[in-house]
Amino acid sequence: MSSQKEKTSNANQPPPQHIAIIMDGNGRWAKAKHLPRSSGHQKGVQTVRKIVKHCAKLGVNSLTLFAFSSENMKRSSEEVGLLFKLFLSVLKTETKKLKENNIKLKIIGDLSVFTPEIITLAQEAESDLRDNTGLNLVIAANYGGQWDIIESAKKIAVDVANGSVDPNNINTALFNKYTSLSNLPKVDLLIRTSGEVRISNFLLWDIAYSELYFCNTLWPDFNENALDEAIKDFHSRDRRFGERNGEK
Ligand code: IPE
Ligand code: IPE
Ligand code: MG
């Protein structure tokens, strides 16, 4: 970051309203420690706990976490099975803690690949936390940004066919209502850990004007300070949205 940009950052500014994170690097973290990949994923869950708590403390409105991409289904059946098991155990153990911390939960993605037990627990957790008023936690599981856009288009097509939507009225605001993250504030900041500089089919529609932040830290090593650093960098950005500074 240039020194001029650093000058403009301000710790007293409100946090980004909506942070999305591509939590990457669990496998490399484990490999570097000569541990099985499963240890990296388990350690990654601990980081999730820390970051969720920290976002709630900072007053972030929404946090969307990429837990499992649609493409991750192509991994070995052993790893996919392990990730499913981890998802199940997290749903079993964390819902109570989320409730105590006034956190709401939404799970986005094509859940049809999961076991009936996972699907039921996910639905129960969402409804159990529905009345909470704090952080909106969104977990993207078997999620793909292209899938999200296609699902929205399919739902709009149904509404056009049944006459409730006039094709001439399809615009950004209407399309947005059909996407997985409708009702939540726009994604202000997208973070990807582990040094990879790509989106890997995470949110596509939603990051049209997000600030992107890439860091080398592997997800199991990411922590509160690393998030503060990302937010500080976010505050140093000049968000113009196509306009010119200070001019309309
Ligand atoms: C991210 O870590 C977690 C998931 C994709 C489920 P990876 O498993 O991709 O870790 P690396 O990229 O191999 O280090
Ligand atoms: C993206 O990471 C998905 C998640 C972090 C859940 P990947 O590790 O799957 O992405 P690629 O394969 O490096 O693009
Ligand atoms: Mg990866």
Side-chain angles (χ1 to χ4, degrees):
M1 264 318 99
S2 73
S3 57
Q4 200 196 340
K5 281 201 166 178
E6 269 166 13
K7 266 186 233 153
T8 60
S9 76
N10 179 353
N12 297 322
Q13 283 178 265
Q17 278 213 294
H18 191 160
I19 299 176
I21 309 181
I22 303 174
M23 311 183 290
D24 198 13
N26 294 351
R28 278 163 284 167
W29 181 90
K31 194 172 179 198
K33 294 190 153 39
H34 307 286
L35 294 167
R37 290 181 67 83
S38 57
S39 307
H41 294 313
Q42 273 154 6
K43 189 77 178 19
V45 172
Q46 291 181 25
T47 307
V48 170
R49 284 196 196 99
K50 283 188 208 165
I51 296 307
V52 168
K53 261 190 152 170
H54 196 52
C55 282
K57 185 181 142 202
L58 292 174
V60 171
N61 178 292
S62 303
L63 173 67
T64 298
L65 299 175
F66 204 8
F68 187 78
S69 77
S70 35
E71 287 72 26
N72 290 152
M73 282 297 287
K74 292 188 252 171
R75 293 191 180 186
S76 70
S77 55
E78 192 193 349
E79 185 164 357
V80 171
L82 182 116
L83 289 166
F84 279 26
K85 253 173 108 177
L86 205 56
F87 189 29
L88 180 69
S89 84
V90 165
L91 282 169
K92 278 185 178 161
T93 57
E94 303 299 313
T95 307
K96 199 167 158 259
K97 287 184 219 158
L98 294 176
K99 193 160 193 172
E100 286 162 9
N101 286 289
N102 196 23
I103 294 169
K104 265 190 173 154
L105 178 70
K106 187 178 169 70
I107 295 165
I108 60 169
D110 178 4
L111 299 190
S112 65
V113 296
F114 296 110
T115 60
E117 193 185 10
I118 292 182
I119 296 172
T120 307
L121 270 172
Q123 287 166 348
E124 282 173 2
E126 282 180 340
S127 76
D128 204 20
L129 303 171
R130 188 174 294 148
D131 295 332
N132 282 351
T133 54
L135 176 74
N136 291 298
L137 173 62
V138 182
I139 303 290
N142 194 31
Y143 178 87
Q146 291 177 332
W147 168 87
D148 201 347
I149 292 170
I150 290 169
E151 286 304 298
S152 309
K154 278 175 13 192
K155 287 180 202 151
I156 293 172
V158 169
D159 283 351
V160 167
N162 69 27
S164 58
V165 166
D166 176 348
N168 293 314
N169 292 339
I170 299 173
N171 56 21
T172 311
L174 182 130
F175 196 95
N176 200 49
K177 286 191 188 142
Y178 288 81
T179 61
S180 297
L181 296 184
S182 62
N183 301 325
L184 295 181
K186 285 195 176 64
V187 175
D188 292 313
L189 172 63
L190 173 78
I191 297 170
R192 182 171 189 150
T193 60
S194 90
E196 308 295 356
V197 186
R198 57 175 168 263
I199 302 299
S200 300
N201 196 19
F202 190 30
L203 307 169
L204 296 177
W205 170 266
D206 313 84
I207 60 163
Y209 251 114
S210 306
E211 295 298 325
L212 310 181
Y213 179 87
F214 299 95
C215 65
N216 290 329
T217 311
L218 302 173
W219 179 249
D221 290 328
F222 197 80
N223 59 19
E224 295 87 347
N225 288 340
L227 182 65
D228 289 344
E229 202 52 47
I231 293 175
K232 188 174 162 210
D233 192 80
F234 169 82
H235 282 140
S236 76
R237 308 279 179 99
D238 185 9
R239 303 190 82 191
R240 289 187 292 274
F241 300 101
E243 294 174 14
R244 296 190 54 209
N245 265 346
E247 297 171 27
K248 293 282 169 190

